[in-house]
Amino acid sequence: MSGLAVGVDIGGTRIRTALVERSGRIVKHQSVPTPAALQRHEVMQAVLRSISWMIAQAEELGREVKGIGIGSAGQINADTGIVEFAVDTLPNWQGTPIRPLVRELYEHIPVWVDNDVNALALAEKVYGKGQEYSHFVCLALGTGIGGAIVESGRPVRGCFGGAGEFGHLSVNFEGPRCSCGNYGCLELYASGTSMARLARVELEKAGRLGQAEIDRYSAHELLRDWAAGEEPASIAMTTVIQALATGIASIIHIFNPQVVFIGGGVADAGEALLTPLREETHERTSPKMSEACEILPISLGSRAGVMGAAAQVWTEGGSKSIVNMDGV
Ligand SMILES: [Zn+2]
């Protein structure tokens, strides 16, 4: 029987783990809540428990684990496997030596660690529609905003793993202060958290809902009310789309990509979001660059994170292509 990779996707709300074949087929999948206190030690214990369970499952199946690939929120140094900087989704995560801690338990198994959106981009490149392209970026619109860059078929990480922080691309230099230090960052307008905040302002102006309902109002409800054509939602979404298009236009001008893949929970809005976003981005982008670039949804769905995390094992952290898909 061919070997398996353990893929781990560490996010602010869930830790997803899977046993994945070289072909990308998922043999086992598990999803557990990220410990609510988000303390580094507890999150890491939950990660190690999930990995142990997966390795035991592989043993039961009589299949060898060839490596462990981990994708995590935050700025990750892929050379050391240490969290250089943690984002709001996992606030106590900075400094966590992910790879050294996993290697302490499994010293005979290779371990790869990268940022979760880099893992998503690797899944696209190896198993998804990204196979057709050498130059693309991924923009993950969730609670926060993450990004990843693939240039000439290789991930772009920067000097310690911070490259692709598209959430902190400023789209308004006179905008409000962001936690990163800059002003008017994309994340302040188009993350799930910020979308809900923008919508609440419009709902208060409209005076149609009670304060308790306004306080509970989420990005999910905003997308629902936008689809229903409600005015406060439409005003808020106009701002969201303009901010996104401004950010994407800058990304296109920097990287000249063939595709911008849009993922994350906000992207579940589908064509309702993508159609106006394409139009607005086109308006703001140099014509030749705009013509060369498509804006597409990610192609692999909710399990892309673990598939991409696992794919690090077969591609030496994304630096090699999968040449032989048969056996190991
Ligand atoms: Zn910022």
Side-chain angles (χ1 to χ4, degrees):
M1 292 292 263
S2 59
L4 296 169
V6 176
V8 187
D9 181 15
I10 307 171
T13 52
R14 301 205 75 81
I15 298 165
R16 296 184 168 84
T17 328
L19 284 177
V20 189
E21 293 182 338
R22 197 181 183 109
S23 66
R25 192 174 83 86
I26 292 175
V27 176
K28 289 268 175 197
H29 184 265
Q30 189 192 49
S31 171
V32 298
T34 307
L38 298 177
Q39 290 305 313
R40 179 198 299 186
H41 177 74
E42 288 163 26
V43 174
M44 206 55 218
Q45 285 305 314
V47 168
L48 293 173
R49 269 197 307 276
S50 295
I51 292 173
S52 301
W53 189 81
M54 280 299 164
I55 289 176
Q57 294 297 307
E59 279 169 10
E60 261 181 41
L61 294 167
R63 297 176 72 169
E64 190 185 350
V65 170
K66 294 287 186 182
I68 299 165
I70 299 170
S72 168
Q75 295 169 6
I76 312 295
N77 187 322
D79 294 327
T80 60
I82 296 172
V83 183
E84 293 276 353
F85 185 77
V87 288
D88 294 345
T89 44
L90 277 171
N92 300 302
W93 204 223
Q94 186 166 336
T96 307
I98 302 177
R99 182 156 68 200
L101 289 170
V102 177
R103 293 282 295 183
E104 263 179 30
L105 285 182
Y106 301 104
E107 56 185 19
H108 58 291
I109 302 178
V111 180
W112 303 88
V113 189
D114 206 339
N115 165 267
D116 54 354
V117 189
N118 283 350
L120 189 74
L122 185 58
E124 274 300 331
K125 174 176 168 272
V126 175
Y127 303 120
K129 200 162 168 54
Q131 289 175 89
E132 299 165 29
Y133 306 99
S134 299
H135 313 275
F136 65 85
V137 300
C138 289
L139 187 59
L141 308 174
T143 315
I145 293 181
I149 307 145
V150 173
E151 166 59 37
S152 303
R154 299 267 183 276
V156 175
R157 295 200 177 88
C159 70
F160 69 77
E165 279 278 20
F166 297 143
H168 297 287
L169 202 61
S170 179
V171 294
N172 178 5
F173 71 90
E174 291 179 316
R177 192 88 193 255
C178 176
S179 61
C180 75
N182 205 347
Y183 293 82
C185 290
L186 181 57
E187 195 160 284
L188 298 176
Y189 300 94
S191 66
T193 315
S194 298
M195 285 167 63
R197 184 179 46 76
L198 289 173
R200 285 188 206 117
V201 171
E202 295 309 322
L203 287 167
E204 274 174 21
K205 280 190 211 160
R208 264 191 254 155
L209 291 180
Q211 194 59 45
E213 282 173 282
I214 291 176
D215 291 345
R216 279 198 306 270
Y217 198 80
S218 67
H220 182 73
E221 287 166 292
L222 168 61
L223 292 170
R224 180 201 63 198
D225 292 346
W226 181 48
E230 292 192 16
E231 199 184 0
S234 298
I235 297 169
M237 283 307 294
T238 299
T239 305
V240 172
I241 288 166
Q242 285 178 338
L244 272 175
T246 306
I248 293 170
S250 294
I251 292 168
I252 294 173
H253 287 136
I254 298 167
F255 296 105
N256 184 203
Q258 295 161 295
V259 183
V260 176
F261 284 109
I262 311 281
V266 176
D268 292 346
E271 285 302 314
L273 175 71
L274 291 180
T275 301
L277 185 57
R278 285 187 191 108
E279 286 166 12
E280 189 69 31
T281 304
H282 184 69
E283 292 289 316
R284 292 166 185 265
T285 308
S286 161
K288 195 76 190 167
M289 294 252 221
S290 182
E291 273 170 37
C293 183
E294 291 181 83
I295 297 175
L296 299 174
I298 59 160
S299 63
L300 292 169
S302 62
R303 291 187 175 179
V306 281
M307 287 170 73
Q312 295 177 86
V313 174
W314 313 120
T315 61
E316 298 186 9
S319 61
K320 289 205 163 51
S321 304
I322 293 185
V323 180
N324 175 14
M325 301 292 271
D326 310 318
V328 180

